[in-house]
Structures are given as structure tokens and as C-alpha cells.
Amino acid sequence: MAKMEVKTSLLDDMIGVGDMVLLEPLNEDSFINNLKKRFDHNEVYTYIGSVVISINPYRSLPIYTPEKVEEYRNRNFYELSPHIFALADEAYRSLRDQDKDQCILITGESGAGKTEASKLVMSYVAAVCGKGAEVNQVKEQLLQSNPVLEAFGNAKTARNDNSSRFGKYMDIEFDFKGDPLGGVISNYLLEKSRVVKQPRGERNFHIFYQILSGASEEFLCKLKLERDFSRYNYLGLDSARVNGVDDASNFRTVRNAMQIVGFMDHETQSVFEVVAAVLKLGNIEFKPESRANGLDESKIKDKNELKEICELTGIDQSVLERAFSFRTVEAKQEKVSTTLNVAQAYYARDALAKNLYSRLFSWLVTRINESIKAQTKVRKKVMGVLDIYGFEIFEDNSFEQFIINYCNEKLQQIFIELTLKEEQEEYIREGIEWTHIEYFNNAIICDLIENNQTGILAMLDEECLRPGTVTDDTFLEKLNQVCATHQHFESRMSKCSRFLNDTSLPHSCFRIQHYAGKVMYQVEGFVDKNNDLLYRDLSQAMWKANHSLIKALFPEGNPAKINLKRPPTAGSQFKASVATLMKNLQNKNPNYIRCIKPNEKKAADIFNEALVCHQIRYLGLLENVRVRRAGYAFRQAYEPCLERYKMLCRQTWPHWRGPARAGVEVLFNELRIPEEEFSFGRSKIFIRNPRTLFKLEDLRKQRLEDLATLIEKIYRGWKCRTRFLLMKRCQIVIASWYRRYAQQKRYQKIKSSAITVQSYIRGWKARKLLRELKHLKRCNEAATVIAAYWHGTQVRREYRKFFRANAGRKIYEFTLQRIMQKYFLEMKNKMPSLSPIDKTWPARPYLFLDSTHKELKRIFHLWRCKKYRDQFTDQQKLIYEEKLEASELFKDKKALYPASVGQPFQGAYLEISENPKYKKLTDAVDEKIIIAEVVNKINRANGKAASRIFLLTKNNVLLADQKSGTIKSEVPLGDVTKVSMSSQNDGFFAVHLKEGSEAASKGDFLLSSNHLIEMATKLYRTTLSQTKQKLNIEISDEFLVQFKQEKVCVKFIQGSQKNGNIPTCKRKNNRLLEVAVP
């Protein structure tokens, strides 16, 4: 048995009436009240059959989430509450599954939400169709074409902050699987007059404000623009800023969208250059000048703006300036050049700006089509989305409103025709008898406008092409002559006498009775706007530009392709476009979205009944409802109908076994519904009156309440039984667990008692055994003691004589042994530290241990010295050996020695190898330098000092000039016999040379150094190492020095403190050199 499937429906939890076809009673008041009731509950969508009414909420609602998309995906149109997603899903599934081309017509006045509705449709289709890299790229390009077209084609108006000022029709092409392949966009009648003039409180097109707000300073500089809006005459200042609109952010969005759609960087740059040129055209101003022939001509006031425009567009400045001042008229072989007065120059400027922007917009649409068109040539399915201006009734209605309302008349005509056609086709398909439906046919109004002979557009074209003086008034006179008797045309000057008394109609106006109401049009500007004339001089100037895009926008400016034929008028072009659109729509299955604006304040939660009523009338919504319910108000397939109402009949509840139609017949017979209230089609049940449907709904509601009560009763019984059985099972489980717990506690208690008794018994036995063992042990010990005493007595008796003879010596040896043992144990705990300079040593405990005590001290000191020495590296050992050698040579002999103990012996005090000044000296010395130091060499003649470099190598002693590094003297170590110095605190020393040697020819050296101890020590050790002989170190306050052939006595005396702490040397006579030491 199949399980009952509960489905939701349009009729479930319905606020008001979700489908206006079911509204009872049907009149204007009930229609508006139903919309208001649903609007107050945030239900902004309502159906008229398959038509969706959309009321703009003016705020974000949580009904467009991905979850909502999934909720409406692949669902029956009437299965869920009304939503735009339901219509989009129905259209998409019909296209995909039934291979029917679709079109979605979105209509309504400005601010009603048409653009947003088209976005929602496209986003839904993009969400439910296939996935994949190529498919996603196509979807992204289709969606990103919207921001580009909105920026260039939308503007802020008094009624809407993002009003579409052009009509857009997009054909989205799909493959056989329903995946998008591409698209084609058609645009209709851009409101190009907005470029040069905007009504008060409105703005120019968005792109102008976005560039000035969002472009970088560098980019603006390239476009020769400034960020200040007030600098440009084409931008209205009273509404330059719009609350809630971030123009800077939108500019970044537009640039990103252009990149995604496929615009190249140079194309984007060219587009913005054209926009900048249009903006700057408005700043060109003219002044009048009189010529010699008396004709007035115009001159440009400030040519700086013209110069910048020419730099942007690559046009010769003189060519463009002449085009603004002269007009050339060509007729066959003749050319006539006339001057333009100021008014004509301003007209030419504005005409150029409008044409330039309009052609740029058309080029953008063409360029986008090139990017998004399908690349394959396979057969395609098409879904069209039409977002076009709604019916417009303003205080001042001109040519734009006239052709917009003409387009809406055509859409209304095709809407009625297609709706009736759809109804008729469904009746025939279901085998229901078709009855003729009376309705208002607006073909007579369309004929009034578009008739090729007597239509208003035809007469306007005829008037524009007529030679002679042509004005808006002559056009109105012609209308009065031709249309005077037409029942939908009214004019103050009409020959029809019934309008002569209508004082509400001005003389320069005419009125047309449209299907949506009467609209009064002012004829001022009709002729000029229909002509849409751009002087040929300006076209040719644009064609001569070095700007590739501008040149492509004006092909008629090419002198080689001059066409003297007058271009088609704006009205005839639009008429042809509408005819093409109508033909396109008639080949597709239509889906309608009627958009309504709830208030003029663009505010949320405000429902203006008068404004809504006006829109209901001109959208013809009541007429639509009457057409839909002229035959049968409601129709539904047999399966969902039986599924919804089967609980009303015992034979069909809960499951019907048989055809669904038979089940519905049984159901309706059981309910005794009159036969004239319904008819059986091939696949659907048709219900004539909404009251019958509401009766079924009331019966269903009552039956559902009864079923709910029954279900509640059964559920309560089941719940009570379930609870009782659960409690019973719980009681059994609890009882079993408690019994187990009680038995466990009793067992534990018995077990504890048994263990306690066992422990007491084991303790008693253990204590008894212990007593027995202790008694046995005491017996054994007593026997052993007795035996020991007995054996001792026997031994003492036998050996008593020996104990008396050696007792003293053995006691002495034992005592001495104990004292030595105690001494060594105490020494172990009193040992001093391992530092070699630590002289502490424990005191001697006994006098007889004196020699032992001293020897131990000596051995310990030698041992710790060895331990200390073992820690040294080879370099440290060498340093300490030198220090030890210095100690042996100079300790207690030289007063300078104590100060040198703490100073390390460095040897190389001069970095000779690293100093480039001594490179010559380094190259001359091949051996390793042991010491390099600056010394003072004492002059033999006067005792004055001169700086020299003292070098000690393994084999020689060298003296070199400090400045130049030249070697002055070189003495082999074997020629050095003695070193003499004083015992004072000075650095003087004499190096005695061997007599007869080559180095001794000039005599001995008398030198002074700050590192005397180190130099003497290293000289001593090096000489000993090389010659194996000790160098004599003489320390005396008087010694002789050999100077050439004579010997001089060097005497050291205590000097005064005049020269501070520096020793001074002075020659007293030929035999005495006196050194004063402080």
C-alpha cells in the first residue's frame, strides 16, 4: 500500500487570495484590498492564473536565498505560494522538457521593480541550469552584462533611483540539455535627451557620476576630467548624490563586469574617453558675432574645453570648431555653406552629444552580443526576457512618452491575444467546449498610432519630410484634420464639436484614450525629436577623428559613402523595432510579470491605494482576471486534485485504487456538487466558480481538523500505552538491578566477616609460631655463649704464658694503627681546594706525624698543580712558560716586573701584515715575527729618542723606520751577547753586540720600550732556543754601552717630577749618559 504523500499547495495557509482568478467578489475594491492584505504580510507576489503580479517592497526580503531556489526547483506552478521563482521555473522546464521557446514579459511603470525582476529571473535560471567551467563562464557573462547596461542606460528619476531609460530584450540561448550557450540583447529607444537635459530632481545616466566618483586621480587626469560635479553643465546638481548609492563602488563593479564580459583594456579606455568627451561637450559655450553681410554667426567663448575634447578624440581642432559654426547643405551637385547662430550652435552641440552617447550605447550592446553570443551552430532553445518601460502618464508628456505608450499598447494587444489563445488551446486540448469571451480590443488604438496612411506616426513622418516651414503646430493642425472623428483622439482644435467645450485641454496638446486611460501629449518638440537631425559637418568631423571607436560610430561621415537620402526618423525606426519585437514574441510561449509600485516615496510598508488603483487600470489587470475566469476559474490535474481532496470521501480515503479521473468523479458525486459547476477534461478537472473551490477548501479544512483530532486521539493512546510499557520495562529493570545490588551487598558483608575471622586465626597462629621461634633462638644463643666462654677459658689456660710476654708491644701496635686510621679519615674530610695558590692545610694532630704531614702536603700540592696544568692548551702553556721565565729573570730584581705580571704577553703589538703602510717591511721579512713593537732608540750624541719598529724573529733582531717601514739594522741572534737594564721602574735597556761583528760597527743599541719585561723574556727564550746558550741579563743602575769606538756609562738616578712619570735621558759628557727615573 502506497504511503500518503502530503503536498503543499497555493491554497495552504493562504493570506488573502493567492490567485486573483479565485477572488470573490471580483471588483476593483476587492482586488486592491487583497493586494494590500498580502503586501502587509510581506507577500509581494500574487497570481492571475499564470501571470505574476509583483509589488515593489522597497526593501530586502529573505525570499531569494539559495534555499528558496531549491524549494521552487522542479515544483508545480500552483504547488507553493506565489513567487517569481515559480514562473521562472515553469518557463525553464517548459523550454528544457517540452522544447518550447519561452519569453518573459516584464511590464510596469518606472520604479515598480522591472529591472530587479529581470535580474531575479536570470539569477534563478543561472542557479538551476547545468554546471561546468564553460557553462559557468557563459552564465557569469550573461549576469555581468546587466551592471554594464545599467551604468550606461539607467538614471535616477523622480520615481526611481535606478530607472531603466531604455527598453531591453534579451534572448538567452540553451542547448538540448538546458545549459546556457549564450545570448543576444536588443535595446529600444534610449532616452538620449537626458544626456543634455534632466528634469528637476533627476540625474543624468549613472556612468557620468560613477567615473567622477570612482576613478583614480591618474585616470581622471588621462580623461582630462575633474572630480567636482559642478564643473559640468550636463550634470544636474540638485540630485548629484543619491542616498544609499555608492557611485565609486559601482564604478569598480562596472569595470570588473566589462572585463568579465570580454572587453579589452583599450576598448574600455576608448569607451570612457567617449563618455568624457560627451561630458565636456556640455561645457562648450557660444557667443554671437555679426558678419559684414549682416548675418549672425556664433563663436566659441573658451576654446580650452574644445582643445581638450580634440585631444581626447583625436580630432583636428579647426575642423570641429568649423562644424560648430557652419552647416553645409548638399543638393545634387551643389553645396551651400551657411553660418549657425548661437541657438543653432547650441542645438548642434547637444545633437552631437546625444548622438555620440546613443551610438556609444548601441555599440556597447553590439560588443556585449559579440561576447555572449552562442559559439556553436547547433539548434538552440530560446528564452526571451523583456524589460521595457511601462505605461507613462506625467504632467508633461512628450514624444518619448508617446512612443513608450505606443509600445505598451502593442504589448497589451499581444497579451490579450496570447492569453485568449492559450485559454482556447487548453480548452481544445482538454476537450472542453470553447465559449467566446467578450473583451476590449485595443487594436483600434494601435491603428490610430501606427496606420501607414492615417496613423499619427505616419503623419509625423510626412510632416518632417514636407518642404517648407514645418513646426509642431502644423503637425497638430494635420492631426486635427485627419483624426478629428476618431473616438480615441481628442484635441482643442478638432473639428468634432463635442470637444470644443473641453477647456482642460490646452491648444498645443492632443489627448489619446489609451487602454490604460487618457494621456495628454504636448506637441512641442515632436518634430525635432522625430527628425533626430545631426548636421553632416559634425558627422564628417567625427569620422575624421584618430579615435578608432568614434570613427566607427559615424560611418556616414565618410566622404566616399555620402548618401544624400534622408535618414529614417526616430518614430519609423521605433515602429519597425516594435514590429520585429511583436513578431518575435508571437513565436514564443509568453510568461507575464506585472510590476506595481506601492507608493511614490520609494519607502517600505506604505501602500497607496489610489496609486495602485491607477496602475491596475492601465495594466488592465481586472480585464485579465475577467478573461481568465470567463470560462472556468480554476483547473487542476486529476492526480493532485485527488491527492488534495480524497479525505472528503470514504471511497477515496485513505487510498484510491484506480484511475485518478475515476476517483475525482466518485469524489464529486459523493459531495453532490452541481454538474454545471465543473467539467472533466482529458487530464484536468475544470471548476467554473471560485465559490465551489472555496467550498471544497472549507470541507477539506473541516475534515483535516477531524482527522487531526483522530490522529491526536490515536497518538495520545499510543503515547500512553508506550509510556506504560516503558514504565513496566523500567520497573522490571530497576527491580532486577536492586536485587542484584542487595545480593552483592550481602555477599560483600559475609566475605568481609570471613576475612576478619581468617585474619584473627592467622594472627594467632603466627604469634604462636613466633613465640616458639624466639624461645628456640634464645636457647641457641645461650648455648653458643656458654660454649664461647668455655672455649675461651680453655685457650687462656693453655696460652696464658705467651700473653704476658708480648702484650705491651701488641697493644702499642694496635693503638698506633687506630691513630693512623683516624688521622687519614680526618684528612679525607679536611682537604683544601684544588687551586694551586691555596696555601691552607689542616693542622697536625700528633707530633710524631710531622714528617708524614709535610710529605702529604707536598704530594697533594704537586698533584693539584698537575691537575691544573692539564687544563691548559698549548698556547696557554707557552704563555705561562714565558711568564715563569720572566719571574725567574726579573722577580725581586727589576722594579717594573710586578706591573707586568697581570699583563698578557701579546708579541705582535703592530698588525704589520694587515697594514698596507708596512707592506715593504712584510715583504723583506720572510720569517715568523715573534714580537713587533714600537721602541724609542736613544741617540748616542744627545740622548734624544727616535721611534723605531723592533722586530724579533727566530734568527734576527731588526730595527725599522716607523714611517716608511725601511729596515735600518738587522742583527743575527748569535751576535747578541748581553742585555743590560736598570733595577728602576723604567723601560730602558741596552742590547750588547759581539765585538768585531758586522752589526757592531755602529755600536750597541740603547732602547726604551713600554713592554720591556716581555721583550727581554722573548729575546732570552728565542736566543736560548736558537744558540743553545743563555743570554746574559744584567740588571744594574750603571752599565757601559759601546758607542762606535768609545764606551759610555749609562747611569740611572732618581729624578724630579717635572716631566711627570716619564724617564728622561741626557748626555752629561762624552763618557756619561744620565737617565732620570721618577
Side-chain angles (χ1 to χ4, degrees):
M1 183 179 292
K3 185 178 179 180
M4 182 185 72
E5 181 183 0
V6 179
K7 294 184 179 180
T8 57
S9 170
L10 171 71
L11 302 170
D12 286 333
D13 301 323
M14 188 167 57
I15 298 172
V17 178
D19 190 343
M20 288 295 188
V21 175
L22 305 178
L23 186 64
E24 278 291 327
L26 178 62
N27 53 54
E28 196 171 79
D29 292 338
S30 63
F31 195 100
I32 296 173
N33 289 335
N34 186 57
L35 287 179
K36 185 177 187 303
K37 183 177 182 181
R38 291 179 61 79
F39 179 79
D40 292 341
H41 289 81
N42 293 329
E43 294 286 342
V44 296
Y45 296 110
T46 308
Y47 291 156
I48 301 177
S50 60
V51 178
V52 175
I53 302 174
S54 171
I55 302 179
N56 192 345
Y58 286 116
R59 63 188 176 95
S60 298
L61 295 176
I63 58 174
Y64 307 110
T65 61
E67 292 76 16
K68 277 289 181 183
V69 171
E70 290 301 319
E71 183 179 344
Y72 280 86
R73 186 173 186 175
N74 295 327
R75 302 294 286 271
N76 184 275
F77 186 75
Y78 296 102
E79 191 173 340
L80 299 176
S81 59
H83 201 290
I84 194 172
F85 287 169
L87 181 137
D89 186 75
E90 183 76 13
Y92 176 71
R93 285 192 294 113
S94 297
L95 176 138
R96 183 192 62 192
D97 302 336
Q98 301 176 20
D99 203 18
K100 293 181 180 179
D101 287 349
Q102 304 290 317
C103 65
I104 299 176
L105 283 68
I106 306 172
T107 56
E109 73 171 47
S110 179
K114 301 187 298 300
T115 301
E116 288 301 317
S118 67
K119 290 181 185 177
L120 289 171
V121 170
M122 292 178 65
S123 64
Y124 179 85
V125 173
V128 300
C129 64
K131 302 292 187 291
E134 293 184 4
V135 173
N136 289 339
Q137 182 181 358
V138 172
K139 291 193 291 186
E140 187 68 15
Q141 287 185 336
L142 290 173
L143 293 175
Q144 289 301 324
S145 65
N146 277 327
V148 179
L149 295 179
E150 283 186 18
F152 287 87
N154 289 23
K156 189 261 183 192
T157 65
R159 296 184 175 185
N160 185 4
D161 289 343
N162 187 32
S163 175
S164 297
R165 307 317 299 161
F166 71 104
K168 182 179 75 171
Y169 177 75
M170 174 183 281
D171 269 334
I172 308 174
E173 299 173 335
F174 298 83
D175 62 8
F176 70 97
K177 297 178 295 184
D179 294 340
L181 297 173
V184 179
I185 299 173
S186 303
N187 66 300
Y188 302 95
L189 191 65
L190 177 72
E191 188 189 10
K192 58 186 177 182
S193 60
R194 180 172 293 272
V195 174
V196 298
K197 185 179 179 182
Q198 307 91 41
R200 186 172 183 80
E202 298 189 4
R203 293 205 315 178
N204 210 323
F205 292 102
H206 292 327
I207 190 62
F208 296 114
Y209 304 93
Q210 291 173 359
I211 288 180
L212 297 180
S213 299
S216 64
E217 294 293 341
E218 180 184 359
F219 192 64
L220 287 178
C221 185
K222 287 182 180 178
L223 298 180
K224 303 186 184 303
L225 295 177
E226 298 179 20
R227 206 173 290 281
D228 185 8
F229 295 160
S230 62
R231 287 275 295 108
Y232 304 100
N233 298 331
Y234 280 166
L235 301 184
L237 298 180
D238 53 341
S239 299
R241 304 287 182 185
V242 181
N243 292 333
V245 176
D246 187 351
D247 288 319
S249 175
N250 290 340
F251 178 70
R252 292 189 290 272
T253 302
V254 169
R255 295 204 67 170
N256 183 56
M258 293 178 75
Q259 186 178 3
I260 293 174
V261 170
F263 282 81
M264 306 298 290
D265 290 342
H266 71 273
E267 292 177 326
T268 305
Q269 179 71 22
S270 298
V271 168
F272 289 132
E273 285 173 352
V274 174
V275 173
V278 171
L279 198 56
K280 295 183 77 63
L281 275 173
N283 291 351
I284 295 180
E285 296 182 349
F286 302 93
K287 60 183 178 180
E289 279 193 8
S290 298
R291 302 183 69 182
N293 57 6
L295 296 176
D296 290 336
E297 67 175 67
S298 62
K299 292 291 183 182
I300 297 176
K301 288 183 181 180
D302 183 5
K303 295 185 180 181
N304 185 48
E305 292 285 354
L306 181 66
K307 178 183 177 183
E308 292 184 350
I309 292 173
C310 292
E311 290 175 356
L312 271 175
T313 57
I315 302 174
D316 188 342
Q317 183 174 343
S318 61
V319 173
L320 187 56
E321 184 177 2
R322 176 176 173 78
F324 280 135
S325 302
F326 294 89
R327 179 187 179 189
T328 303
V329 180
E330 298 183 20
K332 296 184 179 179
Q333 302 299 324
E334 296 182 3
K335 286 186 179 182
V336 179
S337 181
T338 60
T339 60
L340 301 179
N341 58 30
V342 173
Q344 291 171 331
Y346 277 117
Y347 173 82
R349 180 200 67 177
D350 291 344
L352 177 60
K354 291 187 290 183
N355 271 271
L356 193 57
Y357 191 83
S358 174
R359 296 182 189 207
L360 172 66
F361 186 78
S362 299
W363 180 87
L364 279 172
V365 174
T366 304
R367 180 65 183 82
I368 291 173
N369 284 337
E370 291 176 2
S371 295
I372 65 175
K373 68 180 179 182
Q375 302 299 321
T376 59
K377 295 184 179 180
V378 298
R379 183 180 177 276
K380 298 178 281 290
K381 306 175 183 179
V382 178
M383 176 185 289
V385 179
L386 177 65
D387 174 9
I388 202 163
Y389 4 68
F391 201 87
E392 292 189 349
I393 305 176
F394 299 144
E395 291 184 6
D396 296 327
N397 301 290
S398 187
F399 178 74
E400 291 85 1
Q401 284 69 44
F402 174 74
I403 56 177
I404 286 172
N405 294 342
Y406 160 61
C407 180
N408 278 273
E409 285 285 357
K410 295 294 290 182
L411 288 174
Q412 177 67 11
Q413 184 182 24
I414 196 174
F415 170 69
I416 295 296
E417 290 176 358
L418 293 177
T419 301
L420 291 174
K421 181 181 177 182
E422 183 183 357
E423 286 283 302
Q424 185 177 9
E425 287 178 350
E426 184 172 21
Y427 283 9
I428 294 172
R429 186 169 58 250
E430 293 292 331
I432 303 296
E433 183 180 354
W434 168 256
T435 57
H436 180 69
I437 299 174
E438 294 293 335
Y439 67 95
F440 170 69
N441 190 344
N442 67 336
I444 186 172
I445 303 175
C446 296
D447 186 69
L448 170 65
I449 298 172
E450 68 180 3
N451 188 282
N452 292 331
Q453 301 296 327
T454 60
I456 295 176
L457 286 176
M459 286 185 285
L460 180 59
D461 287 348
E462 183 181 336
E463 193 67 14
C464 291
L465 298 175
R466 182 174 62 82
T469 304
V470 177
T471 63
D472 295 320
D473 293 334
T474 60
F475 165 63
L476 183 58
E477 289 176 5
K478 189 156 192 168
L479 287 182
N480 292 335
Q481 294 174 5
V482 177
C483 305
T485 59
H486 199 288
Q487 59 181 337
H488 292 277
F489 178 84
E490 303 174 8
S491 171
R492 185 69 177 268
M493 301 302 293
S494 173
K495 293 180 181 179
C496 187
S497 60
R498 55 183 172 149
F499 299 128
L500 291 178
N501 296 326
D502 189 356
T503 57
S504 65
L505 191 63
H507 287 276
S508 61
C509 300
F510 66 91
R511 187 158 49 206
I512 294 179
Q513 176 70 45
H514 288 284
Y515 77 92
K518 293 183 178 182
V519 182
M520 182 176 67
Y521 299 101
Q522 294 181 348
V523 295
E524 181 183 357
F526 261 63
V527 174
D528 285 341
K529 292 176 181 178
N530 189 51
N531 271 326
D532 193 21
L533 186 61
L534 179 66
Y535 297 151
R536 183 174 287 111
D537 300 76
L538 289 172
S539 297
Q540 292 176 350
M542 293 296 106
W543 187 84
K544 292 177 182 178
N546 290 329
H547 196 282
S548 59
L549 177 56
I550 292 180
K551 192 166 187 173
L553 295 180
F554 292 88
E556 75 276 12
N558 188 351
K561 298 180 180 179
I562 291 179
N563 186 5
L564 299 180
K565 185 179 179 181
R566 189 181 183 91
T569 61
S572 61
Q573 291 181 38
F574 188 73
K575 178 182 173 183
S577 299
V578 169
T580 304
L581 176 64
M582 296 302 117
K583 184 178 179 181
N584 195 353
L585 295 179
Q586 285 177 339
N587 295 327
K588 295 180 174 63
N589 186 47
N591 301 272
Y592 300 96
I593 301 174
R594 302 294 205 180
C595 298
I596 292 178
K597 180 167 63 174
N599 60 78
E600 293 283 7
K601 298 179 180 179
K602 295 178 280 190
D605 302 324
I606 298 178
F607 190 91
N608 188 323
E609 295 187 9
L611 178 63
V612 173
C613 178
H614 172 70
Q615 295 173 82
I616 289 173
R617 288 174 181 172
Y618 78 65
L619 287 173
L621 297 183
L622 277 174
E623 187 81 10
N624 189 4
V625 176
R626 291 189 181 100
V627 169
R628 288 287 303 188
R629 59 189 287 177
Y632 293 91
F634 182 77
R635 73 276 331 254
Q636 191 175 27
Y638 290 122
E639 288 79 5
C641 180
L642 180 62
E643 189 68 33
R644 185 168 183 83
Y645 300 112
K646 63 182 179 180
M647 71 286 297
L648 301 180
C649 175
R650 291 186 178 181
Q651 299 179 47
T652 59
W653 178 259
H655 299 290
W656 170 257
R657 302 187 182 281
R661 172 170 177 167
V664 174
E665 291 177 354
V666 170
L667 173 66
F668 274 53
N669 291 332
E670 178 77 15
L671 296 175
R672 296 180 181 179
I673 297 175
E675 293 183 359
E676 63 273 9
E677 288 295 320
F678 64 90
S679 292
F680 293 104
R682 291 188 177 90
S683 63
K684 295 181 181 179
I685 176 73
F686 289 78
I687 298 176
R688 186 178 300 277
N689 200 305
R691 285 193 298 271
T692 303
L693 179 65
F694 293 144
K695 178 182 177 182
L696 288 174
E697 284 297 310
D698 291 340
L699 292 173
R700 179 177 181 273
K701 184 178 179 181
Q702 182 61 44
R703 180 59 178 159
L704 287 176
E705 291 177 357
D706 296 341
L707 289 175
T709 304
L710 177 62
I711 292 171
E712 185 179 11
K713 180 183 72 173
I714 295 173
Y715 172 73
R716 285 176 176 172
W718 170 83
K719 188 175 182 180
C720 289
R721 284 192 300 275
T722 303
R723 187 170 182 272
F724 167 75
L725 293 175
L726 180 62
M727 291 177 64
K728 183 177 180 182
R729 287 197 299 272
C730 292
Q731 186 270 335
I732 293 172
V733 171
I734 291 171
S736 64
W737 276 84
Y738 176 76
R739 284 194 294 271
R740 189 182 80 166
Y741 170 76
Q743 291 297 326
Q744 285 177 342
K745 292 292 288 183
R746 183 168 176 271
Y747 168 75
Q748 292 292 341
K749 189 174 182 180
I750 295 172
K751 182 179 179 182
S752 177
S753 301
I755 291 172
T756 302
V757 172
Q758 287 177 350
S759 65
Y760 274 104
I761 293 174
R762 289 193 188 101
W764 173 76
K765 286 183 176 181
R767 286 191 294 274
K768 180 179 179 183
L769 179 61
L770 179 62
R771 285 195 298 271
E772 292 175 354
L773 291 175
K774 284 182 177 181
H775 177 70
L776 181 61
K777 181 181 179 182
R778 284 196 295 271
C779 291
N780 291 335
E781 288 177 351
T784 302
V785 171
I786 293 169
Y789 273 98
W790 169 250
H791 289 304
T793 302
Q794 292 297 323
V795 171
R796 282 192 296 274
R797 284 178 183 174
E798 186 176 352
Y799 291 97
R800 185 172 296 163
K801 54 183 177 181
F802 300 106
F803 289 159
R804 289 196 186 110
N806 299 315
R809 183 174 59 82
K810 288 190 177 288
I811 291 172
Y812 171 76
E813 289 176 358
F814 175 77
T815 303
L816 190 63
Q817 184 181 3
R818 289 294 300 158
I819 289 173
M820 292 295 292
Q821 185 179 8
K822 182 180 179 183
Y823 167 70
F824 283 118
L825 289 174
E826 287 179 353
M827 285 296 292
K828 177 183 177 182
N829 298 325
K830 294 180 181 180
M831 296 298 287
S833 66
L834 296 179
S835 175
I837 61 174
D838 186 1
K839 296 183 179 181
T840 60
W841 188 252
R844 179 193 60 200
Y846 301 102
L847 184 59
F848 73 91
L849 292 174
D850 184 57
S851 59
T852 304
H853 196 67
K854 290 179 180 180
E855 185 63 19
L856 279 177
K857 180 179 179 181
R858 186 185 69 81
I859 294 171
F860 177 76
H861 180 68
L862 293 175
W863 174 78
R864 69 183 177 182
C865 286
K866 182 180 181 306
K867 293 287 286 183
Y868 184 75
R869 287 194 304 272
D870 291 343
Q871 299 175 7
F872 295 160
T873 63
D874 292 341
Q875 186 177 359
Q876 288 175 328
K877 287 180 180 180
L878 180 61
I879 292 172
Y880 281 108
E881 286 175 1
E882 290 179 347
K883 285 290 185 180
L884 184 60
E885 195 77 55
S887 175
E888 293 176 355
L889 293 173
F890 303 109
K891 186 177 182 182
D892 299 331
K893 299 176 184 178
K894 178 70 174 170
L896 190 63
Y897 170 75
S900 69
V901 173
Q903 298 177 356
F905 290 172
Q906 298 181 11
Y909 290 95
L910 297 177
E911 298 177 351
I912 294 177
S913 60
E914 298 179 3
N915 194 333
K917 185 170 77 172
Y918 301 129
K919 186 176 186 304
K920 182 179 179 182
L921 180 60
T922 307
D923 296 339
V925 180
D926 297 333
E927 301 174 298
K928 179 182 177 183
I929 298 174
I930 299 172
I931 187 166
E933 163 70 332
V934 176
V935 299
N936 292 323
K937 181 176 177 294
I938 307 303
N939 193 303
R940 300 174 178 88
N942 52 20
K944 292 185 178 180
S947 296
R948 293 285 187 270
I949 298 176
F950 182 89
L951 298 179
L952 174 62
T953 65
K954 288 184 177 181
N955 297 313
N956 299 293
V957 174
L958 296 92
L959 287 177
D961 185 77
Q962 185 184 8
K963 295 181 179 180
S964 63
T966 305
I967 298 175
K968 296 292 186 178
S969 302
E970 182 174 358
V971 181
L973 289 180
D975 294 345
V976 179
T977 59
K978 183 174 64 174
V979 175
S980 299
M981 63 186 73
S982 73
S983 62
Q984 305 290 330
N985 191 19
D986 64 279
F988 285 86
F989 67 100
V991 179
H992 301 275
L993 305 180
K994 184 187 295 183
E995 292 183 6
S997 64
E998 182 182 354
S1001 60
K1002 293 183 180 181
D1004 300 334
F1005 296 118
L1006 182 58
L1007 307 172
S1008 174
S1009 172
N1010 293 330
H1011 302 91
L1012 172 60
I1013 303 299
E1014 180 181 357
M1015 293 177 67
T1017 303
K1018 287 185 180 291
L1019 183 59
Y1020 177 84
R1021 286 176 58 84
T1022 306
T1023 304
L1024 179 62
S1025 174
Q1026 293 299 113
T1027 64
K1028 307 302 180 182
Q1029 294 178 1
K1030 292 184 179 181
L1031 181 64
N1032 185 17
I1033 305 294
E1034 180 184 355
I1035 300 176
S1036 174
D1037 288 343
E1038 288 187 18
F1039 52 82
L1040 294 176
V1041 179
Q1042 182 76 34
F1043 283 170
K1044 291 187 179 180
Q1045 301 302 325
E1046 60 185 13
K1047 290 188 178 182
V1048 178
C1049 177
V1050 180
K1051 184 178 182 180
F1052 292 85
I1053 62 172
Q1054 286 295 120
S1056 62
Q1057 298 295 325
K1058 291 181 180 180
N1059 297 323
N1061 294 325
I1062 302 173
T1064 59
C1065 182
K1066 189 174 182 182
R1067 185 74 176 264
K1068 289 294 185 179
N1069 51 50
N1070 292 336
R1071 298 291 181 175
L1072 178 62
L1073 190 65
E1074 195 173 79
V1075 179
V1077 181

